[in-house]
Structure formats: structure tokens, C-alpha cells
Amino acid sequence: MLSNTTLGMLLATVNASILIISLPAIFNGIHLDPLAPGNVSYLLWLLMGYLLVTAVLVVSLGRLGDIYGRVRIYRAGFVVFAAASVALALTPTGGTAGALWLIGWRLVQGVGGAMLMANSTAIITDAFPARQRGTALGVNQVAGLAGGFIGLILGGVLSAWNWRAIFWVSVVVGLAGAWWAYRNLRETAQPRPGVRIDWWGNLTFAAGLTVLLAAITYGIQPYGGHTEGWTNPWVLGGILGGVALLIVFCIVETRVPQPMFHLGLFRIQAFWAGNAAALLNAIGRGGLQFMLIIWLQGIWLPLHGYDFAQTPLWAGIYLLPLTVGFIAAGPVSGFLSDRYGAKLFATGGLLLTALSFLGLLVISVDFSYPMFAALLLLNGIGGGLFSAPNTTAVMNAVPPAERGVASGIRATFQNTGMVLSIGVFFSLLVAGLSRSLPGTLHSGLATDGVPGPAIAAITAVPPVGLMFAAFLGANPIASLLSAAGVLHELPASTVSTLTARTYLPHLLSGPFHRGLVVVFVLAAALNVVAAVVSLFRGGVYIYDEHVHDEEIRVESDCG
């Protein structure tokens, strides 16, 4: 069970990150211009659609696992995932149609990922005794967290070869996992056929969270001459409507006889504190990958002479210390938390994570790699120390019959936090770019002899478009000068300077760093708050089904 559920978590989480680093190859493969109006939305939906679907569906699918069998839903997850991966690998067209095809099947792939994520933790909790769950969940959680960073390495390697290979790998792993699961996994928990599905709860929760997260996705895109879309009536309406639907959902859950989202679980101290800390941590670090990839691929690697075709591979390699930190700290902290409790390790991990963000805050954009690697290692160790003990404490505290829905709630908090993190981090980054990038562009282009009207045309391009162009390995200056009608009027030496691969990354570096300062300050603050919340989790808190159906045994730990 541990080996198969670990494979499932790896498959689900690798595919949450593999596209981040592979987007340049995919955009080039389907011939999509990053500066064309509306194409930024395709990029964001390719990136965030998968996360949105998993965030919305994990609670419902965890509940279905409680009713019909967790292993049954889990096995089906491999099949759905593999089928969607085949469709992605066989993308038949390019351009806008190709982008829409990819987005649609990524959403289906997210359904399969949610089936795996919602039930893997519950299956492990069922199979292992309480005093071994920390070790088992530590292995599983490290696989899940490390999968996000393994996806970066794998995406870099495969995208350097062929972008379709990114999806063919998922086909092979998905089919192998399905065969293994149907052959070896057996149901250990008793399905609950008498329990009914809470349709109103499912509907209001799915609709509310989808509308809210979709509105945030469009809020970080340009609108009506603004660099971001927070003034868009549809975005504002979506945020208010999504929140309203979630409030209705909470009311529904207090009135239906068999709710999908047992609000009573939040009366358990270890459960609410662990989930609140996980949500704050996910918001505080969920967008880290995206920020680091843009930083490396769009700025640091080109400035250090790396060819654009090689930046995805090297970005993944340079992020390895983050993965090493997770893998080193996760199983150890899970094993020790079985003996000493989660509080010390989870809280300490959150504080280490906050410290690493403060370190990233003070280094320059053109950093020395050993210092950068050390900070990434510290961040990974902090994440590994927090995740496994926190998950163990949350899952130990709930009754066996509620483990599927509890696992879904935990995954929902984590995935929702990641989507919110990308939205918040990206919005702050773009806000920082918008304040300083036009002036930096104007000064740099004027110094290089570009006429005033052409400068005005280039500085009018939304900063998010220029940043994504650099991230995707393109220097759009030549096409923008050509559109302004001045490209052939400039001296050849000037054109050579303006179209060099280092020109745009050099101009972006200063404004990008000013945006990063705000992002990393917020990330550090959120992790400190999460550490404070983590202190309220109490001692070792284990539901003992052998004592009484409604009794919880509380044991004191060294804290």
C-alpha cells in the first residue's frame, strides 16, 4: 500500500509542476506567441487549471471513497490520469485550438490527480497502526512534496528533447500504477453503502471554489489598460459570488443529515490547527516554484550565458537543493514525530521556511549560486520538517469512517493555498514590475538611441507580457521595433544590442527584484503566523476507535 500510494502521490504532484518548467517548449511546440492578446490567459490556465480542479474535487472524491471504497476510487484515478495523458500527448493541432485542447485535457487530468490525492493518505492511515503512521505518511508526503520538484527536473530534461514526451511519461507511469493497484491493493476499510451523497454540499462547494479561484486567475491578467484585472467587474463579481456560495455551503453543511464536509471535525484541536497551519504555509510557499522558475529561466540563466533552449533543463538542475532538503528532512521528521509528537518539528520547520525567505529577500537578482543553493536547501528542510508531522497529526485525530473526507479537506486546504499563493505572489510581482519597469525600459531604450514614439509603443506593452516573453525564451524587442516601423532605421550595431538574449533580462532584473521583495516579505510573514497557529495543536492527539465510537484519547508529549 505504501509503495503504490507513494507512486500515486508522485504522479499527481509531478504533474502539478512539470508544466511550469516546460511551458517554453510547449508554447514553441504549438506555435503560440506570448505577446499576442489573450495568450497570457492560456499560459495561466495551463499552469493553474490542474491545481484548481484538484482543489475543488478532493473533498468530494474523498467522501466518495468513504462511501464506496477508497481503493476503488484510488485505482480509477490512475486510469483517468493515464487516459487524459494520452489525449495530451496526441494534441492534434497548434495555435489557439492547441492551447484549448491542452487546457481541457489538463482539467481532466486534474480529476485523476484529485482521485489519487484524496484517498492515498486515508489508505495509508487505514493500513498502518497509529505509532507507525508518522513514518509511513512521512514517506508519502515527502514523495508528494518532492514530486513537485522532481517535476521541474523531469520537465527540463524532457522539454529539451520533445514537449510531447512530458505527457507520454505520465501515460507509462499511470498505466503501471493502475496495473499495480488493481493487482495488489485491497480494501481495508469497510465501504459505507448506507451513506448518501450530499449533492447540495458538493454543488455549492464546487461552484463557489471554482468561481473564486477562476476570478483570482483572471485578476492577475491585464484588463482595460490596467496591468492587472482586479477592476474587471467579472473578477470582482466572481470573488464576491464565490465567497457567497462558500458561505451558503457552510450553512448547507450544518443542516443536511450526512454532510460531505464535516464541520464538526474542526472541533478537534489537532485537526483545525494542522489544517490552518497547512493553508497558511501553502499560501506562503505555494508560489515559490513559479517565482524561482521565472527568476532562473527569464533572468539569471540568460544573464549567465545559457541558451534559451537549455534554460528549462538548467533551471531544474539548479533547484535540486530544494528537493534534497525535502527528501532529507521528511522521513526523519515523520519517524521522530511518531515518538515525540508533531508540534516541535512542524513549528520549527515553518520558522526555518520563514528564515529562508528572509535570506532570499536580501540576495541580489544576479546572485552567487552557492548562497542561493544554501537558502533553497534550508527552505526544503523546513518544508520537510513541517509536512509529514503535520499530516500525521491531522489524520491521527479523526475517526476511521471520516478519514477519506479528512484527507480530502487537508488536500483542499493545501491545493487552494497553492492557487491563492500563485495569484497573490504573481499579483504583487506584477504590481512591482508595473511601477518601475516602464521607467527602466524608457531609460534603457533611450540610451540605446531608440526614437521616442517607438519607446512609447514598447513601454505600453503590459509588463506581464514582457516577463512571460523572457520566461518563454523570447526577446520581443525586435518584433516590437518592427511593429513601430523603426527596426530598419536603426544602426546594425544598435539592433544587435537590442535583440541580444541578455538585453531584456538585464532590463527586467531591477524591477523584478523590487517585486520579489514584497513577495518574500509576505511569504516569511505567513510562515511565521503558521508557526504560531501550529503551537495550538496540543499534544499527541490520536482517535482510538477501540475505546468508544465518539471518544478521543489524548496523550501528552514532551511539549
Side-chain angles (χ1 to χ4, degrees), residues 188-207:
T188 58
Q190 290 297 321
R192 302 167 66 192
V195 177
R196 292 178 295 177
I197 297 175
D198 172 18
W199 292 109
W200 281 111
N202 277 273
L203 180 63
T204 52
F205 179 77

Side-chain angles (χ1 to χ4, degrees), residues 338-379:
D338 283 337
R339 184 170 183 179
Y340 300 108
K343 184 190 295 185
L344 175 65
F345 301 100
T347 305
L350 291 166
L351 293 175
L352 284 180
T353 301
L355 184 63
S356 70
F357 278 115
L358 294 176
L360 289 169
L361 177 68
V362 299
I363 65 174
S364 67
V365 173
D366 192 15
F367 51 78
S368 169
Y369 182 70
M371 177 60 72
F372 183 74
L375 291 170
L376 291 187
L377 180 66
L378 183 65
N379 192 284

Side-chain angles (χ1 to χ4, degrees), residues 142-403:
V142 166
L145 290 168
F149 301 103
I150 292 170
L152 301 179
I153 305 294
L154 194 60
V157 172
L158 294 176
S159 62
W161 175 39
N162 188 299
W163 68 270
R164 294 179 188 270
I166 298 162
F167 303 115
W168 282 120
V169 166
S170 296
V171 174
V172 174
V173 177
L175 291 176
W179 171 81
W180 193 354
Y182 278 98
R183 184 177 184 273
N184 292 325
L185 281 188
R186 297 292 178 268
E187 195 73 63
T188 58
Q190 290 297 321
R192 302 167 66 192
V195 177
R196 292 178 295 177
I197 297 175
D198 172 18
W199 292 109
W200 281 111
N202 277 273
L203 180 63
T204 52
F205 179 77
L209 196 56
T210 299
V211 169
L212 176 62
L213 296 181
I216 291 171
T217 301
Y218 281 104
I220 59 180
Q221 300 178 43
Y223 170 78
H226 300 284
T227 55
E228 296 182 278
W230 300 112
T231 57
N232 186 337
W234 289 105
V235 170
L236 295 173
I239 292 174
L240 294 175
V243 170
L245 283 169
L246 290 176
I247 293 172
V248 172
F249 162 73
C250 292
I251 296 171
V252 167
E253 295 304 275
T254 63
R255 301 193 176 187
V256 295
Q258 296 177 347
M260 64 164 277
F261 201 117
H262 278 193
L263 299 179
L265 292 175
F266 287 93
R267 297 192 185 99
I268 302 172
Q269 187 173 347
F271 186 81
W272 75 256
N275 277 303
L279 176 64
L280 289 166
N281 174 254
I283 298 173
R285 65 171 298 137
L288 176 65
Q289 285 184 356
F290 197 29
M291 298 297 105
L292 294 179
I293 290 297
I294 294 174
W295 191 352
L296 288 171
Q297 286 188 211
I299 296 174
W300 194 84
L301 288 168
L303 289 178
H304 286 76
Y306 289 82
D307 186 81
F308 282 130
Q310 297 298 317
T311 55
L313 172 61
W314 284 102
I317 292 171
Y318 282 139
L319 289 175
L320 270 175
L322 202 55
T323 308
V324 171
F326 272 119
I327 293 173
V332 175
S333 65
F335 173 78
L336 292 175
S337 70
D338 283 337
R339 184 170 183 179
Y340 300 108
K343 184 190 295 185
L344 175 65
F345 301 100
T347 305
L350 291 166
L351 293 175
L352 284 180
T353 301
L355 184 63
S356 70
F357 278 115
L358 294 176
L360 289 169
L361 177 68
V362 299
I363 65 174
S364 67
V365 173
D366 192 15
F367 51 78
S368 169
Y369 182 70
M371 177 60 72
F372 183 74
L375 291 170
L376 291 187
L377 180 66
L378 183 65
N379 192 284
I381 291 172
L385 285 173
F386 168 73
S387 180
N390 187 69
T391 300
T392 303
V394 167
M395 295 303 296
N396 274 342
V398 299
E402 304 298 333
R403 284 174 183 162

Side-chain angles (χ1 to χ4, degrees), residues 5-74:
T5 52
T6 298
L7 178 66
M9 283 296 291
L10 272 172
L11 182 64
T13 56
V14 162
N15 278 272
S17 66
I18 196 169
L19 251 69
I20 296 176
I21 208 161
S22 307
L23 283 172
I26 292 173
F27 260 54
N28 289 330
I30 62 174
H31 309 294
L32 209 62
D33 179 6
L35 286 181
N39 282 359
V40 169
S41 65
Y42 297 138
L43 185 148
L44 288 172
W45 273 105
L46 273 173
L47 178 65
M48 297 176 68
Y50 180 91
L51 295 173
L52 189 150
V53 169
T54 55
V56 168
L57 291 182
V58 282
V59 173
S60 299
L61 293 169
R63 188 60 173 165
L64 287 176
D66 288 338
I67 297 172
Y68 298 113
R70 292 157 195 164
V71 170
R72 178 181 296 178
I73 302 298
Y74 180 81

